[in-house]
Amino acid sequence: MSNSLSKIQYCSKPTRDEIDMLILLLNYFYGDYTQKIVENLNLDDLSFCYSKKTKRLRAIMYRNEMFAFIRASDFRLIPHIPLAILLHKVIPFPKHRIVVINEIVPDIMGSHTIFSKHVIQGDENIKPFDEVLIVDEEDNLIGVGRAIISYEAMITSLRGPAVQVREKVER
């Protein structure tokens, strides 16, 4: 079991109410078009994992892989690559995306930070601490991360970090 799951007591198959809660979380953070994700999942492969101490939802597993994590401080849905791939398919461009220069993609694969000077386009509604999909100029998914600054600051700034890369797509 990974370190992030070490504090989780048990995982169980979700009830209808829990699936509805997942749909609400996806809709709230990523828009109404994300409901298609849950409709296309095999619900038998979905597991909800809970904290030992608080009994609150902490992680969602799909086919024994981390699908999403729930941040304890604000109940924010943090996507991992399996969910990010599905989000990338259903969310229209450029929503929830940061587009980086193609030449920098190999460097991103070995790094944990994307700098403002490498961001060329994205969703104008991105705020600090939003979870974003990181894509190249052809809208190929590179990874997921957390915006450090707003989209406006990313585009206008010539230096400084813009996105903290959380996880990358294996190539």
Side-chain angles (χ1 to χ4, degrees), residues 21 28 64 79 96 115 117 127 131:
M21 180 188 58
Y28 180 75
N64 296 323
H96 300 284
F115 292 93
K117 66 182 178 181
K127 302 177 297 299
E131 295 298 317

Side-chain angles (χ1 to χ4, degrees), residues 134-149:
I134 304 161
V135 298
D136 64 15
E137 294 176 49
E138 286 79 40
D139 195 32
N140 297 312
L141 184 65
I142 298 168
V144 291
R146 182 179 63 187
I148 298 171
I149 57 178

Side-chain angles (χ1 to χ4, degrees), residues 73-123:
S73 60
D74 58 1
F75 207 66
R76 181 145 185 110
L77 187 70
I78 310 296
H80 282 258
I81 292 300
L83 177 56
I85 291 168
L86 298 173
L87 288 170
H88 182 256
K89 289 178 183 175
V90 299
I91 297 175
F93 183 85
K95 297 287 184 192
H96 300 284
R97 288 172 170 78
I98 292 297
V99 181
V100 296
I101 302 168
N102 281 347
E103 292 80 38
I104 203 69
V105 170
D107 293 336
I108 291 171
M109 297 311 281
S111 173
H112 297 290
T113 306
I114 296 173
F115 292 93
S116 296
K117 66 182 178 181
H118 301 128
V119 176
I120 58 172
Q121 191 179 359
D123 184 354

Side-chain angles (χ1 to χ4, degrees), residues 17-77:
D17 287 343
E18 290 169 325
I19 291 170
D20 290 343
M21 180 188 58
L22 175 59
I23 291 169
L24 288 172
L25 283 171
L26 285 168
N27 287 347
Y28 180 75
F29 290 116
Y30 299 103
D32 293 336
Y33 27 74
T34 58
Q35 183 166 343
K36 295 175 193 169
I37 290 173
V38 177
E39 292 170 358
N40 293 323
L41 290 177
N42 180 356
L43 299 180
D44 291 334
D45 293 336
L46 201 61
S47 297
F48 280 43
C49 303
Y50 297 86
S51 165
K52 285 180 188 177
K53 296 191 184 233
T54 64
K55 309 289 189 238
R56 291 185 180 201
L57 180 63
R58 288 294 171 252
I60 300 168
M61 306 288 288
Y62 186 66
R63 295 184 176 153
N64 296 323
E65 279 189 287
M66 179 65 76
F67 193 63
F69 202 78
I70 308 294
R71 190 164 47 209
S73 60
D74 58 1
F75 207 66
R76 181 145 185 110
L77 187 70

Side-chain angles (χ1 to χ4, degrees), residues 115-119 149 151-160:
F115 292 93
S116 296
K117 66 182 178 181
H118 301 128
V119 176
I149 57 178
Y151 174 73
E152 184 178 339
M154 287 179 206
I155 291 300
T156 58
S157 182
L158 296 176
R159 60 169 65 162

